[in-house]
Amino acid sequence: MNTKHTHSFQAEVAQLLHLVTHSLYSNKEIFLRELISNASDACDKLRFEALNKPELYEGQPQLEVRVSFDKKARTLTIADTGIGMSEQEAIDNLGTIAKSGTKDFMSKLSGDQKADSQLIGQFGVGFYSGFIVADRITVESRRAGLSASEGVRWVSGGSGDFEVEQIERAERGTSITLHLREDAEEFLNAWKLKQLINKYSDHISLPILMEKEEWKEGENDQPGDMVKTGEWETVNQASALWTRPKKDITPEQYIEFYKNISHDSEAPLTWSHNRVEGNTEYTQLLYIPAHAPMDLWNRDKKAGIKLYVKRVFIMDDAEALMPTYLRFVKGVIDSADLPLNVSRELLQESRDVRLIRDGNTRRVLSMLEDLAKHDRHDAAAVTEGDVVDVVSEDDKAKEGKYTQFYSEFGAVLKEGLGEDFGNSERIAKLLRFASSTSDGLTVSFADYKSRMKEGQEAIYYITADTLAAARNSPQLEVFKKKGIEVLLMTDRVDEWALNYLTEFDGTPLQSVAKGAVDLGKLQDEAEKKAAEEAAETFKPTLARLKQALNNEVEDVRVTTRLVDSPACIVVQDGGMSAQLARMLKQAGQPIPQSRPVLEVNPEHPLVKKLEGSVHFDDLAHILFDQALLAEGGMPEDPAAYVKRVNALLV
Ligand SMILES: Nc1ncnc2c1ncn2[C@@H]1O[C@H](COP(=O)(O)OP(=O)(O)OP(=O)(O)O)[C@@H](O)[C@H]1O
């Protein structure tokens, strides 16, 4: 018996529907892109499943999308000959959101329409976008391979629930009928629809058909009108964008294609489209987005690469085709050599895939190098009469893009140092840092090297939680005094990444917070001698300090790195920095027990006062706790610290 069943939308869907109709209203036409894109996906799925089961075509191998409308009934229908849905699939797919991260996404919505619509754009509303323009949607479908009596009709007004019933449906595939709202009548117009298909869906590799119309003069003084002829015509180019020659593709088409595959509402920063020939043949179309997605930090996030084999869609998120540190790249790879029935497991092992991944990695790094090269056109540095290169319009358009890229993705790129040894030199060249002498993330290792002082033998850097903490760190004092630039590193990944980079272009990297400070040739003989003498006369005090702080420190020594501060904490060479230890502790990870070294500045009045003080023990502890505080740490027992300071203050 044919009965209707009413189902409720999953709570998140109901919430999303509400948002879709309210936030995306200003850009309602995107519904067409979404529905055509779903239709195209459904055809891709059928083509893929039919590789092993050709009977799924039911003798009708034509895969296509038809767009039609009925002015009188005020309906618009998008029909495809794709895989279709069974009743249960319709209930599951059109009543819930199966995407991972849905909850997280919902919690990020702020209620601010503009911000939310950006987020929703990234998340991808897909089918539900139909409700922007329709107050009722009817879906009729039958899954390929099921009998004609196993069709399904799904109807909903987009609030709260939907109805499902079994129907007879001879043809496989899905047809989606939108009952348009009164204010969406503009979509009942062939010209408008063609224009939108052209704008959003031209790259779709399937034919999109519309019924031909011709002008008919009105009779008996009635105005003329366009009437349908009953003949269908293909209104898109119907060839996958990446298969067309570069010269035939406009930047607008590249951008539109990007938006379609990425769900990003903004244009990408740059792209690269190539046919690669050699050991393995493939076409590569790769994009670098302008903004980081909200889940960039999830290293399990799949790379946004779609894999095709000889134009047949194989899978989304083919993570094997891009290293994890380039997971922000979006695009398409169409291989001529992989087998059509390739699985994710197989991908991991294939030699062709390795070659493609290496090729993709090199391509992305070249794109970044190109952006970096044209990032800064330093107009301020040009003076009257200088000869400057003529900058082409293309290159001018790249100005500032690398800076933007870096602020969005720089920290992820650094993961590459530990992940991709083969390219670590190229990656290192792409890194940018703040430094003690310049603002913003602008200093490359090469810039730094070109400014090194005569006699300077290392690239100095400091890691800290914040830029302010790095800039004001006591460890920087002597470097400031001598005018030596120090790179300031404040990304969480810096500590880890720098484990893998010990030198740049032959110059070692040296943390200013690790090991004894050795300024080498930068320190003159007189300074060295004075330090040695101070260490000698200070020996007894050092011994007492060491005893007083026996449980806290590994060693106490005299330093020349301090100018204004009395003391600082350093870790042993090769030891774990205090910042990394704090990060691990926050993450609940075990940290190896290691005690730091306390370095004291014998010139500082507080340190001088130590010697004759009756409060030696308290002062020693205060010195140590303050050194901890100064570099962003916390005394082991903050209350005891406060007590000691207060006792001395009164
Ligand atoms: N024309 C169609 N034919 C067959 N199945 C469809 C069709 N349209 C939608 N579906 C099914 O409904 C599901 C939900 O569609 P929806 O557009 O909401 O999300 P999606 O396509 O999975 O994600 P996104 O659109 O963000 O890529 C799809 O995954 C698919 O299984």
Side-chain angles (χ1 to χ4, degrees):
M1 204 181 66
N2 182 10
T3 43
K4 281 187 190 169
H5 294 284
T6 304
H7 300 260
S8 297
F9 283 118
Q10 181 195 22
E12 281 88 2
V13 177
Q15 210 182 339
L16 183 68
L17 277 171
H18 182 82
L19 280 161
V20 164
T21 43
H22 288 84
S23 303
L24 292 182
Y25 206 71
S26 56
N27 194 16
K28 38 184 167 177
E29 62 191 38
I30 56 134
F31 80 91
L32 193 62
R33 169 184 76 192
E34 298 292 322
L35 296 183
I36 290 180
S37 155
N38 278 352
S40 157
D41 289 350
C43 292
D44 280 344
K45 275 183 208 157
L46 175 58
R47 187 165 17 204
F48 185 63
E49 282 192 27
L51 288 172
N52 296 322
K53 252 176 138 184
E55 63 275 19
L56 288 179
Y57 280 124
E58 303 173 2
Q60 290 171 338
Q62 180 63 4
L63 294 173
E64 61 185 27
V65 183
R66 287 176 187 242
V67 178
S68 58
F69 61 94
D70 180 338
K71 246 185 183 159
K72 263 204 206 111
R74 215 195 294 148
T75 58
L76 175 62
T77 300
I78 292 109
D80 64 68
T81 54
I83 188 79
M85 283 177 275
S86 67
E87 184 173 347
Q88 192 55 46
E89 283 171 329
I91 295 170
D92 293 343
N93 297 340
L94 308 180
T96 57
I97 309 178
K99 260 184 235 185
S100 61
T102 303
K103 277 232 159 66
D104 190 39
F105 157 74
M106 291 289 180
S107 70
K108 288 210 171 84
L109 295 170
S110 59
D112 170 41
Q113 290 205 354
K114 204 158 165 239
D116 285 354
S117 69
Q118 279 264 345
L119 274 180
I120 295 173
Q122 268 193 26
F123 183 72
V125 282
F127 169 75
Y128 302 108
S129 63
F131 286 106
I132 309 174
V133 291
D135 48 22
R136 192 153 52 92
I137 298 184
T138 306
V139 179
E140 294 189 350
S141 188
R142 177 172 67 74
R143 199 181 206 287
L146 294 183
S147 69
S149 61
E150 290 176 279
V152 58
R153 179 181 295 129
W154 178 105
V155 183
S156 175
S159 57
D161 46 31
F162 58 90
E163 269 178 8
V164 174
E165 67 181 314
Q166 215 174 51
I167 56 164
E168 273 288 317
R169 186 174 155 98
E171 64 277 21
R172 69 152 194 271
T174 305
S175 102
I176 295 180
T177 300
L178 307 173
H179 304 265
L180 296 179
R181 295 172 197 274
E182 230 166 84
D183 58 1
E185 281 183 359
E186 60 188 294
F187 300 108
L188 298 172
N189 175 312
W191 182 83
K192 171 87 184 175
L193 291 169
K194 276 185 204 165
Q195 185 209 5
L196 291 179
I197 291 170
N198 191 286
K199 177 170 171 194
Y200 289 123
S201 309
D202 202 33
H203 61 271
I204 297 260
S205 53
L206 299 167
I208 301 172
L209 299 146
M210 282 184 65
E211 216 174 328
K212 263 192 182 159
E213 284 189 336
E214 58 187 25
W215 179 256
K216 190 158 175 251
E217 291 295 345
E219 286 166 14
N220 306 330
D221 291 340
Q222 290 297 308
D225 202 358
M226 298 298 286
V227 291
K228 303 206 165 94
T229 63
E231 227 182 295
W232 292 77
E233 62 177 342
T234 303
V235 296
N236 66 333
Q237 291 219 22
S239 70
L241 181 105
W242 64 90
T243 61
R244 297 184 215 156
K246 257 183 183 168
K247 64 174 178 31
D248 295 347
I249 310 175
T250 64
E252 290 73 30
Q253 285 171 323
Y254 275 120
I255 293 172
E256 200 44 55
F257 182 68
Y258 164 77
K259 289 184 180 173
N260 212 289
I261 58 167
S262 66
H263 292 305
D264 190 347
S265 52
E266 267 185 71
L269 275 186
T270 185
W271 60 85
S272 178
H273 181 193
N274 312 282
R275 263 197 69 74
V276 183
E277 289 173 12
N279 289 335
T280 184
E281 253 174 54
Y282 58 98
T283 301
Q284 161 195 73
L285 173 53
L286 302 174
Y287 292 91
I288 296 182
H291 292 287
M294 49 198 172
D295 54 352
L296 179 68
W297 288 106
N298 178 0
R299 275 181 55 90
D300 294 333
K301 178 184 155 54
K302 308 273 168 58
I305 304 293
K306 284 180 189 288
L307 172 64
Y308 286 75
V309 172
K310 300 187 195 78
R311 309 206 184 149
V312 178
F313 172 77
I314 306 293
M315 67 177 82
D316 270 322
D317 308 329
E319 65 269 19
L321 297 178
M322 200 55 94
T324 311
Y325 73 100
L326 299 178
R327 59 188 174 276
F328 51 84
V329 177
K330 307 273 182 208
V332 168
I333 296 299
D334 192 343
S335 158
D337 301 321
L338 287 170
L340 279 165
N341 59 358
V342 65
S343 64
R344 276 185 200 273
E345 292 68 39
L346 237 136
L347 274 187
Q348 302 294 348
E349 287 158 21
S350 149
R351 183 184 139 270
D352 289 302
V353 167
R354 261 202 311 279
L355 290 170
I356 297 176
R357 183 182 34 209
D358 290 349
N360 286 347
T361 307
R362 281 197 302 273
R363 174 62 52 190
V364 175
L365 293 177
S366 313
M367 285 157 86
L368 294 177
E369 283 158 1
D370 184 55
L371 288 186
K373 191 167 137 207
H374 298 101
D375 193 41
R376 266 181 287 170
H377 168 63
D378 208 349
V382 180
T383 51
E384 183 73 29
D386 273 357
V387 178
V388 285
D389 285 345
V390 176
V391 182
S392 74
E393 285 305 313
D394 269 4
D395 288 347
K396 227 186 230 146
K398 291 177 193 157
E399 275 172 29
K401 284 193 172 173
Y402 192 70
T403 303
Q404 186 184 349
F405 162 80
Y406 203 82
S407 69
E408 295 284 330
F409 301 107
V412 186
L413 190 63
K414 287 179 193 160
E415 293 174 12
L417 291 177
E419 197 183 321
D420 185 359
F421 302 122
N423 286 306
S424 69
E425 220 168 282
R426 288 180 79 179
I427 298 169
K429 283 187 185 152
L430 287 166
L431 301 184
R432 299 289 180 270
F433 303 97
S435 91
S436 53
T437 56
S438 56
D439 287 326
L441 290 172
T442 54
V443 185
S444 67
F445 284 126
D447 293 338
Y448 181 98
K449 276 194 72 165
S450 71
R451 296 198 286 257
M452 271 171 43
K453 291 248 169 214
E454 199 164 325
Q456 185 177 343
E457 283 164 351
I459 296 173
Y460 293 107
Y461 70 90
I462 183 164
T463 56
D465 294 336
T466 64
L467 212 50
R471 239 180 243 294
N472 299 320
S473 165
Q475 270 113 344
L476 241 57
E477 288 170 6
V478 69
F479 294 90
K480 280 188 198 149
K481 184 175 151 202
K482 293 194 168 286
I484 302 169
E485 188 174 13
V486 176
L487 297 175
L488 312 177
M489 308 204 178
T490 52
D491 273 331
R492 291 175 76 95
V493 2
D494 284 330
E495 271 291 330
W496 173 84
L498 286 170
N499 278 328
Y500 297 96
L501 191 73
T502 50
E503 55 137 54
F504 177 82
D505 195 16
T507 309
L509 264 70
Q510 168 72 46
S511 162
V512 303
K514 271 188 192 171
V517 64
D518 179 13
L519 295 178
K521 294 180 190 142
L522 291 168
Q523 217 167 18
D524 58 42
E525 284 309 311
E527 278 175 325
K528 274 189 195 155
K529 203 149 170 246
E532 275 161 25
E533 277 172 20
E536 198 50 43
T537 49
F538 211 67
K539 246 186 181 162
T541 316
L542 283 183
R544 280 180 73 194
L545 272 174
K546 209 169 157 181
Q547 198 178 11
L549 298 170
N550 192 21
N551 293 328
E552 286 88 356
V553 302
E554 186 68 42
D555 194 10
V556 184
R557 61 188 179 219
V558 163
T559 184
T560 51
R561 80 174 92 213
L562 298 173
V563 180
D564 303 318
S565 300
C568 69
I569 301 274
V570 288
V571 292
Q572 307 276 47
D573 249 338
M576 183 184 285
S577 85
Q579 198 223 1
L580 183 59
R582 271 199 301 283
M583 261 164 49
L584 289 175
K585 202 168 157 191
Q586 273 169 14
Q589 306 265 8
I591 33 177
Q593 272 301 325
S594 76
R595 286 175 298 173
V597 174
L598 180 73
E599 290 194 349
V600 293
N601 172 6
E603 299 302 321
H604 196 278
L606 185 59
V607 177
K608 284 190 170 150
K609 199 173 154 188
L610 265 174
E611 230 170 348
S613 173
V614 287
H615 303 293
F616 188 95
D617 214 55
D618 283 337
L619 278 176
H621 278 96
I622 289 173
L623 216 52
F624 176 69
D625 285 348
Q626 284 189 342
L628 274 177
L629 282 168
E631 59 110 65
M634 241 327 193
E636 188 68 30
D637 183 353
Y641 166 74
V642 172
K643 227 174 177 172
R644 283 196 182 103
V645 173
N646 287 348
L648 290 176
L649 286 175
V650 290

